[in-house]
Amino acid sequence: MFGSILKSNGIARRVNYVRNYLSHERIIKRLHKMEADISSLPAFVSDGSEYFTKYHFISHNGGIIQGRLHSGSLEAWELSYNRGNRIIDADLEFTSDNKIVLRHGWAENLEQGQEPNIMTHKDFKNSLIFRKYHPLDLDDMINFMLTHEDLYIAVDSKRDAAKTFDLLVKTAKNLNAESILDRIIVSLYNFEDVVSVKKIYQFKNFALRQCGWQHNWYKLAEFCLKNNIRVVNIFDFVIDSDPEGVKILTSKNIHVFAAVVNNLSQLEKYKSLGITGAVSDFLSESDWSLIK
């Protein structure tokens, strides 16, 4: 069963990979066109204490659990942590009554009810994911961080980044847990959201995700360098079709995490470009030492 699930997911992923690769090939020239001069901007300097220098894998949507992807469940989080991962990807969605829960998307069928209906908070919390695993809400996420003091969370706000992070900050303060905000990685899709969220709270860790697909490399590097964004997350098909763009970022010591990568040989090729980690469904920290 586990093998068949992975095989099915793998086939679908490769089909999407080829489609995205071919599409991206058509816009490489635009991405490489110089639109910002970064030559005078100093590269970032790392002291080795930052999460992105210590850890190499981000558990995608909490990580895999018994062959199931995207559960974002308590059991998946516990498994990822116990396997050594110290960065977990958390997708935050709003319920129909405006509560935040961990959910990859309401259209995805996790066997919690009639899809793709947006659930109430009560219904979400009272129904097991895949009829087996315990769902998490914002309070649960914060409490998990309190009991796992070395854990970082890469937060992906699915709708309305400013509203999401405003509520996250308020909830952490109400739970006397403001300290966990230093281990929140504010992971955003565009420059505008970075500006908006910085007005809400002075988070220590920002990252940009799905870069390269919609960004000019030089403008992306310039924005990161001027706004102290040390990490970007780039699709694997973008890396494959445009490795020179990745080198522009890594030349300024902007750390790149490839997404989503579950293959060590693929990651070995990326490491040669200067990439220092990956978003992965099941790779763990011990696997990094296996990469040449």
Side-chain angles (χ1 to χ4, degrees), residues 119-282:
M119 303 171 73
T120 66
H121 178 261
K122 181 179 179 180
D123 287 345
F124 177 82
K125 286 291 290 178
N126 288 339
S127 57
L128 296 178
I129 296 171
F130 296 122
R131 307 181 189 277
K132 191 172 185 178
Y133 310 113
H134 293 85
L136 299 172
D137 63 11
L138 185 57
D139 286 22
D140 297 326
M141 184 187 87
I142 292 172
N143 285 322
F144 194 95
M145 294 184 73
L146 287 174
T147 57
H148 299 75
E149 296 180 353
D150 57 349
L151 181 67
Y152 288 80
I153 305 298
V155 172
D156 177 7
S157 57
K158 290 300 185 182
R159 288 185 293 146
D160 198 333
K163 180 180 177 181
T164 298
F165 285 100
D166 182 60
L167 186 53
L168 192 160
V169 170
K170 289 177 179 176
T171 303
K173 289 181 177 179
N174 287 339
L175 294 174
N176 294 317
E178 187 174 353
S179 62
I180 65 98
L181 297 176
D182 287 347
R183 291 183 283 123
I184 291 291
I185 304 165
V186 180
S187 188
L188 301 168
Y189 294 91
N190 57 67
F191 301 164
E192 294 76 17
D193 282 344
V194 172
V195 175
S196 296
V197 173
K198 282 193 172 185
K199 293 177 181 178
I200 294 169
Y201 187 83
Q202 291 301 306
F203 289 96
K204 289 187 176 181
N205 301 299
F206 278 80
L208 284 167
R209 63 168 57 212
Q210 297 187 4
C211 296
W213 183 244
Q214 72 273 37
H215 299 88
N216 169 272
W217 293 117
Y218 293 98
K219 291 183 73 173
L220 173 61
E222 179 186 50
F223 185 83
C224 288
L225 292 167
K226 289 184 176 181
N227 290 275
N228 196 33
I229 297 176
R230 311 287 297 274
V231 175
V232 298
N233 162 323
I234 301 179
F235 283 133
D236 58 348
F237 66 85
V238 176
I239 297 169
D240 289 340
S241 61
D242 205 1
E244 292 305 312
V246 176
K247 292 179 181 179
I248 291 171
L249 300 176
T250 56
S251 71
K252 292 294 186 177
N253 203 23
I254 297 169
H255 283 250
V256 175
F257 281 72
V260 172
V261 178
N262 294 318
N263 183 292
L264 286 178
S265 60
Q266 182 183 11
L267 196 54
E268 185 173 299
K269 178 177 65 174
Y270 295 162
K271 187 178 179 181
S272 68
L273 298 174
I275 288 175
T276 56
V279 181
S280 182
D281 292 308
F282 51 79

Side-chain angles (χ1 to χ4, degrees), residues 58-65 74-88 151 280-285:
I58 302 173
S59 295
H60 187 217
N61 298 307
I64 199 168
I65 179 74
L74 173 62
E75 290 81 0
W77 278 47
E78 289 175 336
L79 179 61
S80 292
Y81 186 87
N82 290 337
R83 294 179 69 235
N85 286 7
R86 292 298 180 264
I87 313 173
I88 293 180
L151 181 67
S280 182
D281 292 308
F282 51 79
L283 293 177
S284 60
E285 282 300 318

